[in-house]
Every structure is written in structure tokens, then in C-alpha cells.
Amino acid sequence: MGEAKRTRVTPTIYDVAGRAGVSIASVSRVLNGQGSPRAETRMRVLRAVRELSFVPDGAARALSNQLKEVVGVVFRRGSEVPFEDEEESLLFIDVINRGIEVAAQRRGFDVLMSSVGIREDGVSTRVAAIAGKADGLILHDRMLSAAGIARLAESVPVVTLAGRPSRVSINVRCDNESGMRALIRHLVTDHGYRSLAFLSGHPDSPDNQARARVFEAQAIACGAEIHAAAAWHGDYSASGGARVIASLLDEGRILPRAIVCANDQTALGVMHALARRGIAVPNEVAVTGFDDVPVARHLHPPLTTVRQPIQELGATAFEVLHSRINGSAGRRDVVLPVRLMIRESCGCAHQPSPLPAPAATVADEA
Amino acid sequence: MGEAKRTRVTPTIYDVAGRAGVSIASVSRVLNGQGSPRAETRMRVLRAVRELSFVPDGAARALSNQLKEVVGVVFRRGSEVPFEDEEESLLFIDVINRGIEVAAQRRGFDVLMSSVGIREDGVSTRVAAIAGKADGLILHDRMLSAAGIARLAESVPVVTLAGRPSRVSINVRCDNESGMRALIRHLVTDHGYRSLAFLSGHPDSPDNQARARVFEAQAIACGAEIHAAAAWHGDYSASGGARVIASLLDEGRILPRAIVCANDQTALGVMHALARRGIAVPNEVAVTGFDDVPVARHLHPPLTTVRQPIQELGATAFEVLHSRINGSAGRRDVVLPVRLMIRESCGCAHQPSPLPAPAATVADEA
DNA sequence: CTGAAAGCGCTTACAG
DNA sequence: CTGAAAGCGCTTACAG
């Protein structure tokens, strides 16, 4: 026999109970620390568990407890064609996911990660399948329409990231408004740049919309001139940013003194495109980002940007979802603080001697 | 009432059946495409499902089907202190995980990702918890002892990555032997280097052991001199590689003509350390890696290394596990082919003119 | 402290 | 084609 087909059936709580000579209720109690089983009982159960290598079935526990201890995370895989350093970088989404995972771990939850192809259809079907396997869902930016989210939220708590809160879902985002305001003040007031442009991200991203809106308002308030938005539509990708610059230059357009990008990846693409045309950053054109992804500080020149607490964004999303799963109400619009990171792409000097960094700016850094 | 506490209970298959005026069996059949329900029945069920936003409970399905359609993946989070570019890079593990995820998706499986802290204890408890929530497990390098794996495998199919096959678990790895052999041949035969050293990875890593073994055998076979292994113990990390070089240099030791690193990250650290001491790569010392992580080609000089089909490693691990879950036997030792990637850190010239790249080498490239 | 039994929400033979 | 019922493997009142 030996290697024979022996369809080794995984032991169940009944096998453990039988071997230990107790009821399944006792086994369950010992394993879950409920009640106060006699020491004798405890021992026998534990021994049987060990001898059988018993692992309780999660599905059965979940069904009985009405709790799976699993949250689902849905995000888009490989947006756009990778761009130079981009492909290999731990990007925004990855850092957020790590934050979710670490926070979940602390609560004894596990994370069901599900990426969706950029052009994949039937997303809502896929998301529904995940929903069935989890106690709650965290949806990254623009995964589902508002209606889709509303429908989904009927069956499971939903937290969106960088989206919009709704009557049935919670949203976690960073404080785009303060961040953009501080950034523009730095560019216009501290550096004295008079002409600016905002290179946008995905048009339907709430983050992008907020950043664009505040950019305009603040730039005008500071008395700077804004380059018409028409030609400045990116898509949050490096290649998108590079494309915009390339076509602007091809048309012989004059660039503004400073380009404010909707996110770091866009800034990365812009800097590449500028370098290729021999335009000096920051001396001829200043460039800024938003997010402060890890690679930002290693660009040449190091990127001035607005730091979002990215990993914390993920951790917070999980915590909010977790308390929602446990029935608490809580705010539906969670906003995390940001911080202006002044490096060199804005025109400030190398770290050691922060020449053009006046007091006001330094305060932002604190 | 309106906003009242309304503890909205998620609808079950009974609610759907009730609303549609059919039995739960019919609902189940329609939803799973079993049998041939009347069109009329179909419609009514589907309508009820839609109206209630019904999502079948995964735990209940799993319990009934004896299949969760979930695989667990366990790996170590943040090994060592991040090193320069390292922190931000999509490393070996991340690429493998992506491969697993994509393959799982194709089969309708989801992936439970669980990272374990580098110094975390109680790993086997954590792993057991995951095991209970999944149909099978993929364990990255060195997560559990052979005994631990054996115990785990009693309750769930296990596939290890870069480990060793056992009577109860399957292992997926790449062909370290051929890769290292081709690499050494290139360094000794093609470039004529006479003195080599192997900067090792984790001593208990099977990959590392295989690479070290073949390094020695092949170097000797080619007639090269090997620097004593004593001082050359790294740990797969960039900082580990840098540390070895620094202390060797501090002791005034003479470096070999070529340093063969156990993996790319180690090579990255070595190149940094060498650069810091003003030692030219590859002119004074050649350096090679193993893995071909995305960042390898962007180093200065671009890293000559052995490419493992990293994402495919993950996809294969899933496929093997999947067929095991479905009861097939299959090989327990799955080996994927590798390919020598000749770039510049070995001393070869810039791409366009592959000067010292003889026919034999080019063949390896094919 | 402990056991018998009900119940969690599905799927699937088995009858009709 | 369709429904009643058993069963998947747990947890937890409820009695004893």
C-alpha cells in the first residue's frame, strides 16, 4: 500500500473529540479559550490536536461565527505601459496595500488581494465574488461607479480609498487641499514664479479634481498666471506626463516657470521628457509632484512634493473598515494630514544649505 | 426611522428563494449553472438576486463544496534594513507574488497574502491560521522547518518556493545549476578571470547552497582560483553584500578579479561598496548577480546576472498547487530554466558592440 | 465543567 | 424541471 491513493481526509473536530474522549463542544472551548475546561480535558484535547495536526476549518468557523476575519482589497494591476524606473518601483498602491496588511495582521485578520486588469471587464462580478469571501472590502481609486459601490455596500461594508464618501460607504483620503495650498504658496510666494501649469491625473479621480481646483484657486489668490488647462491632461502615469510635455514642445509652446504635477509618477515622466529636450530642472522649469513615493527623493533633482502618509492611508482604511465590521458608526469622510516635502526640483538648494527656504516654508516642514 | 439602527441583515439564499417564489435549490442551480432550469425560473431568480443585491456567502459555499477557492501565500516582510534603492524596488518576492495572483485569477481562485515579520515568532501558528482559510499554501523561502512543513502538509497541500521537495510537499525552483555553470564559464573562459569569490546568501537557503556548490565545482573545473569562503558570507541583502566588501577592504585583503554574488540584491550592495572605495567595476573587479530583478539592468554598470523567470515561478507554484488541490499527483521537484543575461558588470562592452561575447555565450543568450 | 443539539448558508443527490 | 432534506465543520446557548 504505502504510496497508495490514501485520500487522506483532513481531520475534523469530531476526530479530535473522538481521540481525546470528549465532546466536540469541549474541543471547541479549549481551542477558543471559552469557558474554563478542566486541566485534564485541556491536556487531552491539546494532545489530540497535536497528534492529528488538526487545523480548524476556516469556512466552518466563519459560517458559525458570522465572521471570516478576512478583508478584501481590490486594485488595478499594471496601469499603462511601465516607464523606465517605474516598473520596478514600489508604487502608491503597493505601499497602501502593505499598510492594510500590517494593520489587518494586528487584528487577526487576513487580506484577500485581488488585482483587476486595466482593461478587464466584469469588474463588478469579480468584486462581488471577493465580497462573498470577506467581511468587508477596501476599494482603491476608481474601481467601481458610485452606483456599483452602493449596490455592493448592500451586502458588505465598503471603504474606498481616494474616492468619495457616500451614504453607505466610507472614504479615506489625504488632505489634498492643505497640501496643494502649501505647495503653491512655496512656488509663488517663496520662489516668485509667476506662471504655473497643473498637469492633471485621471479626470474622474476625486483626488485629481481636488488638487486641480485648489491649484487654480490658490495660484490666482497668489497672483500667478495659469497656463490654460486644455493641453495639460495626464493620467497619473509617467508616460502620460512625458507625452504632454513632448507634444507641447513639439507644438512650439512656451512652458510655464513651474509645472505642478497631479502625482509623483507624472512628475517623473515630465522630468524625463524635459531632460530629453535639454531643459534644465529646476533652473528653466521647476517641477513638483504629489504623494512622495519612495523613489521621489532619488530623482535628479530630488523631487519636491507633498507627502501623503501612504502606508498609514492603508492602515487607516483597514481600521475604519474593521470598526465598521464590528458595528460602529464613525465618520464617513476620513482625511489624513499631508506635509510639504521641499527638495530640489522646485528650485531650492541642496539640503545642507536651504537657501531660498524662508521661515514660512520651514514651518510647513515641521 | 430612516437612519435608525436597522441592523440590515445580509440577504441569504432563502430570501432570494422566497422573493422569487422558488426553492433554494433552484436558486442555487441558476446561480451555479447546474441542471437546466426553466427560463421562467431563471428570470425570477435573477431578478430577485438583483433586487436584493444578493451575494452568496463564500464560507457557506466553501463548507458545502469542500473548496474555498483560496490559496494562502506566506512570506517575510521587510528583510533587513532597506538599502538605498532597495526599499523602493519591486523585489523578488513581490514579482513572484504577482505571478501567483495572476495565475490564481485565471482559475477563479483568490489569494490570501500574509507577510510575517522578520523577527516574528509564532510563525507556525500564523501559518496554521492561514491554512484553515485556504485550500492550499505557497510558502516562500525558509518560512518553516522541514518538520514544520511536514506537519502543515497533513492538513493542506503545500508548495514551497526555492526550498526542497519532501515526501509531502512540492517545491518549485529555478535551475541554479545550469545558470551558475554558464556564468562561471563566461567569467573564466570568455573573460579569462583567474580568481573568483562567491558572496553567499543565507547559509540555510537551498538556492544558496546549490549556487555555492556549483560555483566551486565549475570554477575548479575551469581552472580558476577560489578565494576562501570564510569571509564571504552574505545574507541575500544589499547591506549584507556591502558589509562583506567593507570589512574585507578594511582588513587590507586583496579582492578577487570577479565577485559572484548569490543574488542581485547582494550584487547591488557590493557595487555600492566598491564605488564608495573608488574601485572600478568591471575594470578592477567584475561583479555578477543572480535573479535578474527589474532594477538589475538599470545599475551602473548594468548587472550581468542569471535570469530566473520570476513571475513564472509564482505562476507555476500556483498551477502546481492547483492541480494538487484537485487531486493530481505530479512531480514534487519542479525546476524552471534560467538564462544568462550578459550586460556590463562582468566586463562585456556596451550592448551595441558585444565585444568579448563569443559564440558560446551568445548561445546561452538564445 | 461538559455534552446533545440547533444553527450558520450553501450544494447536491434523491424523489417526484 | 423542481423541492425537501441531508450534510459540510464549526460555535454556542441550554440543560444537566
Side-chain angles (χ1 to χ4, degrees):
Chain A
M1 303 293 130
E3 288 289 77
K5 215 177 163 66
R6 194 155 77 101
T7 306
R8 120 172 298 314
V9 169
T10 309
T12 71
I13 196 172
Y14 286 91
D15 300 315
V16 176
R19 183 161 197 127
V22 300
S23 72
I24 60 166
S26 287
V27 175
S28 179
R29 288 192 199 99
V30 169
L31 258 25
N32 297 299
Q34 303 293 4
S36 10
R38 252 180 11 201
E40 162 77 9
T41 306
R42 239 183 98 66
M43 309 261 70
R44 300 172 63 171
V45 168
L46 259 19
R47 165 136 40 91
V49 165
R50 201 181 329 113
E51 291 174 349
L52 295 174
S53 297
F54 173 67
V55 175
D57 183 75
R61 300 192 70 204
L63 187 54
S64 189
N65 285 335
Q66 302 282 304
L67 186 66
K68 304 180 174 70
E69 296 194 294
V70 169
V71 297
V73 176
V74 186
F75 57 98
R76 290 215 183 273
R77 153 169 26 100
S79 50
E80 305 288 314
V81 187
F83 186 88
E84 312 247 334
D85 316 332
E86 192 182 16
E87 164 195 22
E88 73 216 25
S89 292
L90 212 47
L91 266 14
F92 200 58
I93 287 183
D94 303 283
V95 179
I96 289 181
N97 286 347
R98 180 155 306 189
I100 294 173
E101 221 246 38
V102 171
Q105 218 116 97
R106 282 198 290 265
R107 300 284 193 174
F109 271 61
D110 289 297
V111 180
L112 213 44
M113 291 280 180
S114 188
S115 69
V116 169
I118 186 69
R119 289 276 163 266
E120 190 173 331
D121 43 301
V123 172
S124 60
T125 312
R126 279 277 309 290
V127 174
I130 306 284
K133 293 178 180 175
D135 300 308
L137 246 42
I138 296 176
L139 262 35
H140 278 261
D141 194 19
R142 298 172 306 117
M143 293 301 310
L144 243 42
S145 67
I149 292 174
R151 207 174 317 126
L152 187 64
E154 303 261 312
S155 54
V156 66
V158 174
V159 169
T160 54
L161 246 13
R164 262 187 252 280
S166 76
R167 258 203 18 267
V168 292
S169 66
I170 304 180
N171 183 65
V172 176
R173 64 177 179 94
C174 74
D175 188 353
N176 293 305
E177 291 75 9
S178 307
M180 185 56 82
R181 224 172 280 130
L183 181 59
I184 302 306
R185 258 197 313 256
H186 178 63
L187 295 175
V188 180
T189 308
D190 299 341
H191 284 288
Y193 301 145
R194 312 308 305 170
S195 66
L196 310 179
F198 178 72
L199 209 170
S200 73
H202 275 293
D204 49 345
S205 148
D207 269 352
N208 176 63
Q209 294 166 2
R211 291 169 196 171
R213 188 168 37 72
V214 175
F215 164 81
E216 241 187 87
Q218 186 67 23
I220 290 175
C222 292
E225 169 204 340
I226 297 176
H227 277 231
W232 293 85
H233 293 314
D235 55 9
Y236 278 149
S237 77
S239 48
R243 191 182 344 105
V244 168
I245 299 304
S247 67
L248 245 22
L249 257 19
D250 287 344
E251 294 170 15
R253 304 273 283 274
I254 295 179
L255 296 181
R257 183 60 185 85
I259 299 175
V260 174
C261 300
N263 71 341
D264 286 353
Q265 278 174 266
T266 298
L268 195 159
V270 166
M271 284 172 53
H272 271 278
L274 256 19
R276 202 171 304 128
R277 304 297 183 114
I279 298 175
V281 175
N283 294 342
E284 297 180 67
V285 177
V287 176
T288 63
F290 210 108
D291 288 351
D292 199 23
V293 295
V295 79
R297 78 202 63 176
H298 298 301
L299 296 180
H300 301 289
L303 189 66
T304 288
T305 186
V306 175
R307 172 178 291 180
Q308 298 197 52
I310 314 186
Q311 183 156 343
E312 198 186 324
L313 217 52
T316 302
F318 175 79
E319 281 304 328
V320 164
L321 181 58
H322 182 261
S323 58
R324 190 82 188 313
I325 288 171
N326 289 326
S328 351
R331 301 180 43 69
R332 326 201 130 277
D333 185 18
V334 180
V335 180
L336 266 38
V338 300
R339 171 178 159 195
L340 181 60
M341 301 303 293
I342 296 182
R343 288 196 274 250
E344 304 173 29
S345 70
C346 59
C348 280
H350 187 52
Q351 298 268 5
S353 50
L355 280 190
T361 301
V362 171
D364 272 327
E365 278 262 86
Chain B
M1 303 293 126
E3 288 289 76
K5 213 176 164 69
R6 195 155 80 101
T7 306
R8 119 173 297 316
V9 168
T10 310
T12 72
I13 196 172
Y14 287 91
D15 300 315
V16 176
R19 183 161 195 127
V22 301
S23 72
I24 60 165
S26 287
V27 175
S28 178
R29 288 192 198 100
V30 169
L31 257 25
N32 297 298
Q34 304 293 4
S36 8
R38 252 181 8 201
E40 162 76 8
T41 306
R42 239 183 99 68
M43 308 261 71
R44 300 171 62 169
V45 168
L46 260 19
R47 165 134 41 93
V49 165
R50 200 179 331 112
E51 291 173 349
L52 295 174
S53 297
F54 173 67
V55 176
D57 181 77
R61 301 192 70 204
L63 187 55
S64 188
N65 285 335
Q66 302 281 306
L67 187 66
K68 303 180 175 69
E69 296 195 292
V70 169
V71 297
V73 176
V74 186
F75 57 98
R76 290 213 183 276
R77 155 168 24 102
S79 50
E80 305 287 316
V81 188
F83 185 89
E84 313 247 334
D85 314 333
E86 194 182 13
E87 165 196 22
E88 72 217 24
S89 290
L90 211 49
L91 265 14
F92 201 57
I93 288 184
D94 303 282
V95 179
I96 289 181
N97 286 347
R98 180 156 306 190
I100 294 173
E101 221 247 39
V102 171
Q105 219 116 97
R106 282 197 291 263
R107 300 285 192 174
F109 271 61
D110 289 296
V111 180
L112 214 44
M113 291 283 180
S114 188
S115 68
V116 170
I118 187 70
R119 289 275 163 266
E120 189 173 331
D121 43 302
V123 172
S124 61
T125 312
R126 279 277 309 289
V127 173
I130 307 283
K133 294 179 181 176
D135 300 308
L137 246 40
I138 296 175
L139 261 36
H140 279 261
D141 194 18
R142 298 171 307 117
M143 293 301 310
L144 243 40
S145 67
I149 291 174
R151 207 174 318 125
L152 187 65
E154 302 263 312
S155 55
V156 66
V158 174
V159 170
T160 55
L161 246 13
R164 261 188 253 281
S166 76
R167 256 196 27 264
V168 291
S169 66
I170 304 180
N171 182 64
V172 176
R173 64 177 179 94
C174 74
D175 189 353
N176 293 303
E177 291 75 8
S178 306
M180 185 56 83
R181 223 173 281 130
L183 181 59
I184 302 304
R185 259 197 314 257
H186 179 62
L187 294 175
V188 180
T189 309
D190 298 343
H191 283 288
Y193 301 145
R194 312 309 303 171
S195 66
L196 309 180
F198 178 71
L199 210 170
S200 73
H202 275 291
D204 49 344
S205 149
D207 268 352
N208 176 63
Q209 294 167 3
R211 291 170 196 172
R213 187 167 40 69
V214 176
F215 164 81
E216 242 187 86
Q218 186 68 25
I220 291 175
C222 291
E225 169 205 340
I226 296 176
H227 277 231
W232 293 85
H233 293 314
D235 57 8
Y236 278 149
S237 76
S239 47
R243 190 182 343 105
V244 169
I245 298 305
S247 67
L248 244 25
L249 256 21
D250 286 344
E251 295 170 14
R253 304 273 283 277
I254 294 178
L255 295 180
R257 184 59 186 86
I259 299 175
V260 175
C261 300
N263 71 342
D264 286 352
Q265 277 174 267
T266 298
L268 195 158
V270 167
M271 284 173 53
H272 272 276
L274 257 20
R276 202 171 305 127
R277 303 295 184 116
I279 298 175
V281 175
N283 294 341
E284 298 179 66
V285 176
V287 175
T288 63
F290 211 107
D291 288 350
D292 199 24
V293 295
V295 79
R297 78 202 60 177
H298 297 301
L299 296 180
H300 302 289
L303 189 67
T304 287
T305 186
V306 175
R307 170 178 294 180
Q308 298 197 50
I310 314 186
Q311 181 155 346
E312 198 185 325
L313 217 51
T316 302
F318 175 81
E319 281 304 327
V320 165
L321 180 58
H322 182 260
S323 59
R324 191 82 185 314
I325 289 171
N326 290 325
S328 349
R331 302 180 42 68
R332 326 201 131 279
D333 185 17
V334 180
V335 180
L336 267 35
V338 301
R339 172 179 159 193
L340 181 59
M341 300 304 292
I342 296 182
R343 288 196 273 251
E344 304 174 28
S345 70
C346 58
C348 279
H350 187 55
Q351 297 268 7
S353 50
L355 281 187
T361 301
V362 172
D364 272 325
E365 278 263 86

